[in-house]
Amino acid sequence: MSTITQPDTSRLDRHTVIDPAILYFGTSVALLSTRDEKGHANLAPNSSVWWLSHTAVVGIAARSQTGRNLLSTRECVINLPSVNEVDAVDRLALTTGRHPVSERKARAGYRYVRDKFGEASLHAIDADMVSPPRVVECPVNLESRVTGLHVLGGGDDPEGADLLAVELEIVRVHVHEGIRSPTHETRIDPELWRPLITSFQRFFGLGGEAQSSRLSSIDEEWYRG
Ligand SMILES: Cc1cc2nc3c(=O)[nH]c(=O)nc-3n(C[C@H](O)[C@H](O)[C@H](O)COP(=O)(O)O)c2cc1C
């Protein structure tokens, strides 16, 4: 006999089965800077980034210019805009550094832009360890190198794939002074860091802190091990 207690659902909202076209439930926005084989810099918004230790995994359309650049030159700066940079991010939406623009993208309103930094009124500055530039205005710049390429849905040919999960090892972290912890030299203060969030194609900021967190009783240094 089952020992699971059935909840009293009369007071809860009921679930309904639906078939959404997209599943973007709210993630932080990144601007990925990369270079092509000739050295030309590209910059593109991305919201499929997750982190584990000092690795970032980025979900990317392999045929975007950023996808091509990651496959060929294998370096990237993950620039994290705050809510204050939302207009710059929005100016890069519906643009691509890939010429010619694919028919599918053109139909959706995408256009080719060679100078993405100029288009967004953002400034480029040299990175220390990798070739793509950092974005001056973004409070966080993460210099990174490709350490793994995974074809989403299986397959072993990243060049011919539609979607890739790209593993990036973070090799240097730059942050604006304004988001640093006043008490710990190596930390970011989550009260000061206001990431830009995208949810179902629209931009949001974070609300206030929801409640105290048991996980935060662990000292951040513990994760270094
Ligand atoms: C807020 C936002 C989030 C996006 N997230 C992703 C993403 O996670 N992965 C992806 O492949 N494209 C994403 N895109 C679309 C790319 O930016 C778009 O394909 C763009 O044309 C790529 O530029 P590129 O061809 O110059 O690399 C996003 C666009 C916006 C505006």
Side-chain angles (χ1 to χ4, degrees), residues 42 44-48 59-61 64-66 93 95-97 105 110 116:
N42 193 45
N46 183 287
S47 55
S48 310
I60 194 93
S64 64
Q65 190 57 44
T66 304
T95 70
T96 175
K105 273 191 156 171
Y110 276 84
K116 300 277 200 78

Side-chain angles (χ1 to χ4, degrees), residues 46 76-77 104 108 131 191 213:
N46 183 287
C76 178
V77 179
R104 180 177 156 76
S131 141
E191 300 273 1
S213 149

